[in-house]
Amino acid sequence: MQITFKVYRKDPEGNGKPGRSEYTVDLSDDATVMDGLLKIRDELDGTLAFRASCLRGYCGECTMRISGKSTFACTAKVSAFTKKGPEIALDPIRNIPVIKDLVFDWDAFLWNKIKAVKPWLEPREGPANEEHRLPDAVMKDLRQVMSCYYCGLCDEGCTVLPVDFDFLGPAALTKAYRVAFDPRDRDGKERLRIAEQPKGVWDCVHCFEASEHCPRGIAPTERIVALRDKAFQMGISHEKVARHHQSFAASVKESGWVDEGRLAVESEGLTNIKGLMKLLPTAAKALVRGKAPLPYVHSKRPGADRIKKIFEKGERERK
Ligand code: SF4
């Protein structure tokens, strides 16, 4: 079948402006998008740049957007993208500096962030012949995380990275989980401390897009939640996070729902004048749009008394 690929082009040695080139190639019915790219490069245009390595869907090198869907070119069948016509658009994944054509900056996108969480085990010190056996359940969980392809699809789907590229992102935080939850590591706390710094786990908005995008079922969003919980339980969350949790729980306990104005004020800290001043521009904008919740002016929801009893029961059981 004749397929036309409309490929994103960017030449760093040219005028630097992105464009698109069209190539029509003849492919078999079971061809993959990577088959098409290799044919274009070998027969039509040797200047087209893209990455490829294993050609079996293991390495994640050929991650790209194929007619708007982010996936691996080596496993994506052309026939899956040509139901409406024999044309396929190829683009680099989003929110990332492009080096040339479909080749993007993996260092900026992934590797620098993964290195930042120190994703290696530092064995505990002990007798030279000490065995480091883990229970099956722990190993099973860690193995799943270790099966990561480093494909970056979770970061590609992340809804925070488009607005804040400095966010560590789900791929790197999943690596932090791998070490923080491995009892053999000398100091899992260190990864928790790194992960819970600004631009870390607390910047995740729980949209679950990362988990939706992961081809390995690693559930990066759930790993981020687990890191948060562990950091909180171990008492190594920074003070603002602790205040946020306490305020959230207190307002739900008292009124059955969240007092957002109170939450903003108490998260900053009632005596933190500088932090409170920083809230003013946002509060003013919200006020103009009629969306500013006044703190502490918060009616009870129906059923609030029952919610309060649930809190009290939990508090009693925790003692
Ligand atoms: S966690 Fe999943 S989506 Fe993210 S890099 Fe690893 S395999 Fe890819």
Side-chain angles (χ1 to χ4, degrees), residues 9-11 23 40-41 44-50 100-101:
R9 302 300 304 268
K10 185 178 172 188
D11 181 0
Y23 307 97
I40 292 167
R41 190 193 60 188
L44 300 176
D45 185 351
T47 69
L48 179 62
F50 55 92
K100 184 175 190 300
D101 304 337

Side-chain angles (χ1 to χ4, degrees), residues 156-167:
E156 210 274 343
C158 174
T159 52
V160 176
L161 284 168
V163 289
D164 183 1
F165 192 71
D166 293 333
F167 173 46

